[in-house]
Amino acid sequence: MNVLRPTILSKVLLGAALGWGLVSNAHAALAPSRWATLEAIHQLENPANRTTPGSFGELGAYQFRESTWCMHTNIPFARALDRKISDQIAVIHYEWLKGRIAAAGLPATSYNIALAWNGGVDAVVRGRSPAVAHDYAERAANLAGAFSARAVASWR
């Protein structure tokens, strides 16, 4: 199962929520889901799925650093090149970031998650993320919003 794609069940549940008026079309499009945020990060980090390490040794679809990878798994870092495993660790890291951001009393938006992904969660919590990380987060949030809007449109 690809954790970044909407499942039949999620389509049914979102469709039901839209149909019952629980979620407006605009709200659904403006609240990117985890999969949309992670796909946006993938598109910014490694859209061509390169297998060569990044300039800081990052690997895989999400350009994990080894220290980040090892926070969440004992699977060898080289396996970050396996998209299925990388997707699973990305979900775990996303949820970890989301929890840390929420615990600090900040909204766990696509923007803040991408800001933490790029510039570190401690910098987000302290309000000291560098300008380059804010640029990255803005691009990620815009992409995630576009992916979510397309998904909502295709679910109809």
Side-chain angles (χ1 to χ4, degrees):
M1 176 174 137
N2 187 338
V3 296
L4 297 181
R5 303 272 186 250
T7 65
I8 297 293
L9 179 60
S10 67
K11 290 179 181 182
V12 169
L13 292 175
L14 180 62
L18 288 168
W20 292 329
L22 299 174
V23 179
S24 71
N25 293 345
H27 179 73
L30 293 174
S33 64
R34 178 177 67 197
W35 72 263
T37 302
L38 288 174
E39 183 56 26
I41 289 168
H42 167 245
Q43 291 301 316
L44 292 174
E45 293 289 349
N46 193 3
N49 293 313
R50 304 184 309 274
T51 58
T52 55
S55 56
F56 295 100
E58 310 93 339
L59 286 179
Y62 305 94
Q63 291 294 276
F64 283 109
R65 287 191 182 187
E66 187 169 8
S67 60
T68 302
W69 181 267
C70 291
M71 284 172 45
H72 303 299
T73 185
N74 290 326
I75 296 171
F77 182 52
R79 298 291 306 274
L81 295 173
D82 179 321
R83 180 64 191 262
K84 185 175 179 179
I85 294 171
S86 193
D87 286 348
Q88 292 169 353
I89 303 308
V91 168
I92 293 167
H93 188 56
Y94 173 101
E95 292 298 332
W96 181 81
L97 291 172
K98 181 179 171 183
R100 294 278 311 271
I101 290 166
L106 299 170
T109 61
S110 291
Y111 182 92
N112 281 342
I113 289 170
L115 186 62
W117 196 286
N118 185 263
V121 71
D122 291 334
V124 173
V125 168
R126 287 190 220 122
R128 296 184 177 254
S129 299
V132 67
H134 282 281
D135 178 62
Y136 175 95
E138 184 175 341
R139 290 182 290 137
N142 288 338
L143 282 171
F147 294 148
S148 289
R150 275 189 246 149
V152 169
S154 72
W155 290 349
R156 295 185 159 187

